[in-house]
Amino acid sequence: MGNAVMLRALLLALAAAAAAAAAEQRQTYIVHMSKSAMPAEYSDHSEWYGASLRSVSSSSSGAAAATKMLYAYDTVLHGFSARLTAKEAEDLACLDGVLAVNPETRYELHTTRTPEFLGIAGADGASNDLFPQSGTAADVVVGVLDTGVWPESPSYDDTGLGKVPSFWKGSCVAGAGFDASSCNRKLVGARFFSRGYEAAMGPIDTDRESKSPRDDDGHGTHTSSTAAGAAVASASLFGFASGTARGMAPRARVAAYKVCWLGGCFSSDILAGMDAAVADGCGVLSLSLGGGAADYSRDSVAIGAFAAMEQGVLVSCSAGNAGPGSSTLSNVAPWITTVGAGTLDRDFPAYVSLGNGNNYTGVSLYSGKPLPVNTPLPIVYAANASNSTTGNLCMPGTLTPEKVAGKIVVCDRGVSARVQKGFVVRDAGAAGMVLSNTAANGQELVADAHLLPAAGVGEREGEAIKAYVASATNPTATIVVAGTKVGVRPSPVVAAFSSRGPNTVTPEILKPDVIAPGVNILAAWTGKAGPTGLAADTRRVGFNIISGTSMSCPHVSGLAALLRSARPEWSPAAVRSALMTTAYASYSGGGGLLDAATGGAATPFDYGAGHVDPARAADPGLVYDLGAKDYVDFLCALKYSPAMIAAVARTQAMASCDGNRTYSVGELNYPSFAVAFSTANGEGGEASAAATVTHTRTLTNVGGAGTYKVSTSVAGAAEGVAVEVEPKELAFAAAGEKKSYTVKFTSRSQPSGTSGFGRLVWSDGKHSVASPIAFTWT
């Protein structure tokens, strides 16, 4: 009996100790403070932040050390980040002057013919003078928050650039393998931020990555050179895509902020990078990363972007690579320019020739010893050469060497990286690989610099090849890599991987905003890693070809820099509006943009306003402008509490909503329309009576005098929606003049879950100011 009591007491003590240990577990929190609430006894805000932090921490020296501040922020938000227990975070949230205490978020990276394709360079890569050459007065610095920079790349050559602009306050921070002298008149700044990462993941492994702005991964160098790289003649990847490589804004300056490491990108570091970038003087911020959709008051990138916008800085972010599923977007705040991905008119064909005489076209960037053309090799499906239930995916350790040796192996795409599958196949002793898309990827073809002869093929081609392998007695094949092909049609096509709407945070805001080139993009690369990024890849290249919305985002960042250089008086919202209202959603020969995932028509949920057209964006005629107060009114329409608004807007002064005013999301002066009809009152999931949704908009003239007339169109399920615009004509006498209009959308009887689309266009005969419309019935 005594032993039982003692055992029970011991178990209770262990449980209590475990509970206490759990309560003491720490994680990083972002603490938002009201700058104006600092008590008079403190001389500066950092002192106040430190005192607030100490007031909730344990008196023990160990606990005090654990609650050491990671960063103090003063530009994109007022506050700090620190490692806290849940109890400390709760206590801190109750202190005067504390607006919000949010747990840190982990973000992931969303991983050159494009100037010619976009119409901003000739075939030789030279500028076509569409935009003025930037000088000191019109200089724009593009801040890229990513994995750092490889400063030795010729894409950062500063030949022909003038002095670093006097407004620039940034610096070149020395670190491992990176000197302060690594910067120049092109690469004007380089910093790194790792405190949040190391607090969560432990010390950086300096054998694997540099604790400095140096880019060991390649992603950051690729994105920054895409945005604003200098022109480099005779650039290519193993001879593929040969030509002059140049960024979208080759005379803009670049500043690199390394916030991403091997284990991801942590919001405390991202905010520190944004804080520094805005204070340094960047005019555009480019973030090819995301952490899924979140409420704006808890989304660190959205919060940092709001403050950047308020200070005149445009923030461009990738939409994500979670397509083709619906509602897969990241970075959906309306003050962020959200970019999806499309294809170019360039391809890298490879042909799979089967023993039955059938040939199938795929893609490849393989550059090594080719397979014999006239001596086909045996071909086998990976699922039949493995003892694993997932053998078809060619995961590490799943292939049986004696069943694949000397053969071509057909692998299914999914789960592991495409290039890693090739490494697994090669390691098992196979001679080549056919990588087959599944239904998730459809006919989308993404080229890779494989380590063995390989070709990626679409789902239909893959199914045909696997059917031949299954039916033939002795199936054989060979693979021929055919180089570079340009003039591919149709193009652009929405990339299957590009994340789609509807917007799950605010369905009334259509995202993405636009799409831009994001498939098979050539740009500068690190000297630390091979083109596949695999440790086994010992090849080194100056330029690499990769795909993702990570690639489309810096295209728009660079185009925004061009527009800001040409029109420095435009706000970030005006720049985004110009890009959106001049984007195209159909091909020049007719027909709407296509979706690589289905082969069918794409929709505004896939491409937003359409594919960017920089030549037209330079002269949009009219723009939809917005400022910080407009976005606060938008938050009021979402019924945000004063504390939630203050967490986004950084101050309680802007956080109050007028109790006598009715706010509407439809009042936000956005360049697109997302109209949500409710079917709640209908029977069988249908609206039983007419439902009307009203939006108001204001257009600002940025061109000459002119009279604009409106036209509307609807299609598919939206054909039953009546669209009424008042007035139907807007006359502008001078630049800067503003005119407002109202749109009423009236719908009847549609099943819940239905969606439809339309377009609203204002035209004066020279300019077409177009807005997409997306309808949903919920």
Side-chain angles (χ1 to χ4, degrees):
M1 187 74 173
N3 288 338
V5 172
M6 290 177 62
L7 178 60
R8 183 165 180 252
L10 177 60
L11 291 174
L12 289 172
L14 289 173
E24 286 300 311
Q25 286 182 350
R26 296 181 181 276
Q27 71 175 103
T28 300
Y29 288 84
I30 313 296
V31 183
H32 301 259
M33 307 286 284
S34 174
K35 188 174 184 178
S36 60
M38 183 181 76
E41 63 262 29
Y42 298 107
S43 58
D44 61 54
H45 287 82
S46 292
E47 182 184 355
W48 176 38
Y49 301 160
S52 300
L53 182 57
R54 289 190 296 273
S55 71
V56 300
S57 65
S58 169
S59 59
S60 70
S61 59
T67 54
K68 181 179 178 181
M69 197 182 303
L70 296 176
Y71 295 105
Y73 307 106
D74 192 45
T75 303
V76 298
L77 67 87
H78 301 304
F80 60 93
S81 54
R83 300 286 286 180
L84 303 170
T85 65
K87 180 64 167 59
E88 289 170 344
E90 183 181 337
D91 291 344
L92 196 56
C94 296
L95 296 182
D96 290 340
V98 176
L99 300 174
V101 181
N102 293 330
E104 181 172 60
T105 303
R106 178 177 171 177
Y107 292 77
E108 299 292 341
L109 294 166
H110 288 153
T111 191
T112 56
R113 179 174 167 76
T114 49
E116 182 182 352
F117 180 66
L118 291 170
I120 58 174
D124 60 355
S127 169
N128 65 5
D129 295 324
L130 175 64
F131 296 92
Q133 296 297 316
S134 53
T136 302
D139 266 329
V140 176
V141 180
V142 181
V144 181
L145 284 80
D146 212 295
T147 63
V149 65
W150 192 261
E152 293 82 7
S153 169
S155 292
Y156 306 109
D157 183 5
D158 64 357
T159 300
L161 290 177
K163 294 180 180 179
V164 175
S166 58
F167 65 76
W168 180 247
K169 298 180 178 63
S171 62
C172 207
V173 176
F178 195 95
D179 297 328
S181 60
S182 296
C183 294
N184 58 16
R185 291 171 298 178
K186 178 62 165 181
L187 179 64
V188 296
R191 301 176 184 265
F192 68 100
F193 302 87
S194 61
R195 295 175 195 167
Y197 175 84
E198 292 190 292
M201 304 292 289
I204 287 170
D205 182 353
T206 54
D207 290 334
R208 301 178 65 197
E209 56 184 335
S210 306
K211 194 171 181 180
S212 75
R214 182 164 292 282
D215 179 17
D216 306 298
D217 177 90
H219 193 276
T221 300
H222 200 279
T223 53
S224 61
S225 60
T226 297
V232 181
S234 302
S236 74
L237 172 64
F238 302 133
F240 294 99
S242 180
T244 297
R246 63 187 286 273
M248 297 298 97
R251 295 187 62 82
R253 320 288 180 146
V254 174
Y257 300 85
K258 185 175 180 179
V259 298
C260 294
W261 306 84
L262 284 175
C265 323
F266 287 77
S267 56
S268 57
D269 294 328
I270 295 170
L271 281 169
M274 297 179 80
D275 207 61
V278 174
D280 287 347
C282 292
V284 175
L285 297 188
S286 187
L287 290 84
S288 291
L289 49 83
D295 183 271
Y296 307 128
S297 65
R298 295 184 290 107
D299 184 337
S300 292
V301 170
I303 289 168
F306 188 98
M309 168 277 302
E310 200 173 11
Q311 297 176 65
V313 179
L314 183 140
V315 180
S316 171
C317 293
S318 49
N321 297 338
S326 62
S327 299
T328 49
L329 293 162
S330 296
N331 303 311
V332 297
W335 49 87
I336 289 174
T337 300
T338 310
V339 188
T343 63
L344 285 171
D345 64 342
R346 178 181 65 196
D347 210 348
F348 306 101
Y351 304 103
V352 180
S353 298
L354 303 181
N356 63 3
N358 291 339
N359 297 300
Y360 297 95
T361 302
V363 293
S364 183
L365 296 170
Y366 173 71
S367 63
K369 183 180 178 180
L371 293 177
V373 176
N374 298 319
T375 310
L377 300 176
I379 183 170
V380 61
Y381 183 32
N384 300 324
S386 171
N387 293 321
S388 170
T389 56
T390 59
N392 64 307
L393 297 174
C394 297
M395 305 284 282
T398 61
L399 296 180
T400 305
E402 55 268 27
K403 292 184 178 181
V404 302
K407 300 178 181 179
I408 295 173
V409 178
V410 182
C411 301
D412 286 331
R413 187 171 164 185
V415 183
S416 63
R418 300 183 301 272
V419 290
Q420 187 185 42
K421 295 177 190 291
F423 175 73
V424 170
V425 169
R426 188 189 74 167
D427 203 39
M433 177 181 71
V434 175
L435 182 59
S436 172
N437 280 1
T438 61
N441 313 107
Q443 293 304 111
E444 174 184 68
L445 297 179
V446 179
D448 295 296
H450 291 288
L451 291 165
L452 83 170
V457 298
E459 181 190 14
R460 289 195 298 269
E461 291 78 3
E463 291 301 319
I465 293 169
K466 285 182 282 189
Y468 162 71
V469 171
S471 62
T473 304
N474 295 299
T476 61
T478 191
I479 298 171
V480 178
V481 179
T484 304
K485 179 182 179 181
V486 296
V488 175
R489 296 290 184 269
S491 60
V493 172
V494 178
F497 60 74
S498 188
S499 291
R500 319 298 173 92
N503 179 346
T504 57
V505 180
T506 313
E508 299 88 350
I509 300 296
L510 180 62
K511 291 283 185 172
D513 293 312
V514 291
I515 61 169
V519 179
N520 299 332
I521 305 301
L522 178 77
W525 196 245
T526 176
K528 192 75 175 288
T532 64
L534 297 174
D537 189 353
T538 59
R539 300 171 297 177
R540 294 295 180 264
V541 296
F543 289 82
N544 198 10
I545 295 172
I546 56 177
S547 302
T549 55
S550 279
M551 286 60 258
S552 55
C553 169
H555 278 87
V556 169
S557 304
L559 295 178
L562 285 177
L563 289 173
R564 303 220 70 177
S565 177
R567 304 296 293 265
E569 74 279 9
W570 282 4
S571 69
V575 172
R576 180 183 59 223
S577 175
L579 290 167
M580 290 177 66
T581 61
T582 59
Y584 60 91
S586 59
Y587 301 111
S588 57
L593 297 184
L594 298 178
D595 183 356
T598 64
T603 76
F605 285 145
D606 308 324
Y607 55 68
H611 192 282
V612 290
D613 185 347
R616 293 183 60 225
D619 181 23
L622 308 173
V623 296
Y624 293 89
D625 208 356
L626 283 163
K629 185 61 172 65
D630 300 300
Y631 293 119
V632 170
D633 288 349
F634 162 77
L635 297 177
C636 289
L638 297 182
K639 303 190 183 305
Y640 270 35
S641 68
M644 294 169 69
I645 295 175
V648 176
R650 299 179 303 148
T651 173
Q652 290 176 319
M654 294 180 65
S656 59
C657 302
D658 186 348
N660 296 318
R661 175 181 169 184
T662 300
Y663 293 91
S664 169
V665 176
E667 294 176 344
L668 185 68
N669 200 37
Y670 215 67
S672 58
F673 297 89
V675 183
F677 294 110
S678 174
T679 60
N681 296 325
E683 295 181 5
E686 294 190 1
S688 58
T692 298
V693 175
T694 301
H695 285 237
T696 59
R697 296 291 191 270
T698 299
L699 285 160
T700 302
N701 185 22
V702 293
T707 299
Y708 288 77
K709 296 181 180 180
V710 71
S711 63
T712 61
S713 60
V714 292
E719 288 182 351
V721 177
V723 181
E724 182 182 354
V725 183
E726 282 295 334
K728 295 177 175 56
E729 187 175 291
L730 299 173
F732 294 90
E737 191 175 359
K738 297 178 182 292
K739 298 282 184 177
S740 297
Y741 69 94
T742 299
V743 192
K744 289 184 178 180
F745 304 98
T746 303
S747 169
R748 292 181 184 272
S749 298
Q750 286 287 3
S752 178
T754 301
S755 59
F757 306 96
R759 205 159 178 86
L760 182 153
V761 181
W762 290 95
S763 178
D764 66 348
K766 177 184 177 183
H767 306 94
S768 290
V769 186
S771 296
I773 310 170
F775 301 98
T776 55
W777 286 263
T778 58

